[in-house]
Amino acid sequence: MAANLTPVEEAIDHLLGKAPAITKNELLPLTESLGRVLAQDYQVPADVPPADNSAVDGYALRAEDYIPGQALSVSARIPAGSAPSPLKPGSAARIFTGSEVPAGADTVIMQERIEVTEGGILINTEVKANQNIRRRGQDLAQGSLALKKGTKIRSQEMGLLASMGVAEVAVVKKLRVAILSTGDELVDPGNPLGPGQIYNTNRFTLLGLLAEAGCDVVLCETLRDTRSVTRETLERAAAQADLIITSGGVSVGEEDHVRAVLEESGELSLWRMASKPGKPLAFGSIKGTPVLGLPGNPAAVLVTFLIVGMPYIRTCQGQLQIHPVGQRVPATFTVTSPSVRREFVRARTESINGDTRVSAYPNQSSGVLSSACWADGLAVIPEHATVAEGDLLTYYPFTELLS
């Protein structure tokens, strides 16, 4: 590995080892819980479903009462939401999807297999016990563990909690994050550009990423390129936030003050990662608050946040799934010059002759953010590796990197 470059796994492990768990919780209405992280285990208070119910519209009966060619009288009608009386022996009950199966019945025949006559119903199919019945507790059994602490709530978890009667959910408090962009050249969108100026891209990329990560942005400022302003703003951010994320100011230039302030007034425990893009990554703290220093180039900000920042945030939130899994996909492109750094290529999957392949954006410069808009994920080229067309690469969709 190149001198003074920390391998990607080591860098991630270092950050995760210093990630403080959020200990504060809050109760939220179930309707507002999407995307939040459960702060406790949820056991099942009662069987779901609470009683045997019909999986179809049809007729409930006792299987042994069926005689081929002989009509069964219909003794009851059971709409959904009603409490049925026990089934009269030797008869059937009209029943609807979701309706409770009456005591004495052990099967339900769907209405498409029934012929209704004046003398009762004729069944035009084989009759066996336990057909078309959803048994009590088949989804969730009372006392079992439904959802673990650390589960990120999706729409399906919302539905499962609702099925248990949960109206308020205990979730982990949101991580409070400060975003500090560095550079005298940065201008907010909506203002005219002067000579040598550019729009502040990274602020808005990070605002979107942190919103998707379930964080609260408590401070969002642009740092002027002076040592004193950088120090004062970092210390002020440390008093408000659980995590400070900077973009730029962590390289080796004379105007890169973030790294210098951490070394002088705080702690710098990691600097420079063997990643492409994203080499000038820094991590440390000031006044006890962690500082994640991202590179200044827009595409590098996106990549390093996804690869390093998201596992750190998930760890703080206590999530069960910290690392993305990815998938192995054949490449459509070639790489002939190996790098000492691990490369995260903006890429997307495509169907070629019915097979899934991963293609790379032609320009992988760390300043080309349009590549990430074209892409739907990142393909990984290992250190010291070349790539031939058809080689299997690990591919991480953006949706998985952020989920």
Side-chain angles (χ1 to χ4, degrees), residues 183-243:
D184 289 338
E185 76 279 12
L186 298 179
V187 175
D188 287 340
N191 297 304
L193 291 177
Q197 293 183 326
I198 59 173
Y199 287 119
N200 189 343
T201 302
N202 295 336
R203 170 186 292 179
F204 295 91
T205 300
L206 288 169
L207 282 170
L209 289 167
L210 289 165
E212 290 193 79
C215 299
D216 268 341
V217 175
V218 296
L219 182 69
C220 190
E221 293 187 8
T222 300
L223 295 178
R224 297 300 100 191
D225 284 331
T226 70
R227 189 72 53 87
S228 60
V229 168
T230 299
R231 179 179 292 105
E232 182 276 327
T233 308
L234 281 170
E235 291 179 350
R236 180 160 47 87
Q240 303 178 48
D242 303 308
L243 170 66

Side-chain angles (χ1 to χ4, degrees), residues 40-53:
Q40 66 180 51
D41 291 341
Y42 274 85
Q43 267 82 27
V44 182
D47 289 336
V48 178
D52 294 350
N53 68 83

Side-chain angles (χ1 to χ4, degrees), residues 255-278:
E255 301 299 328
D256 290 321
H257 297 295
V258 172
R259 180 174 65 89
V261 168
L262 292 179
E263 289 179 316
E264 295 168 359
S265 303
E267 177 197 20
L268 181 67
S269 60
L270 184 147
W271 181 55
R272 302 199 344 145
M273 181 173 66
S275 168
K276 183 179 181 183

Side-chain angles (χ1 to χ4, degrees), residues 37 58 63 99 117 208 237 292 339 364:
V37 178
S99 298
T117 70
L292 176 60
S339 172
Q364 291 290 321

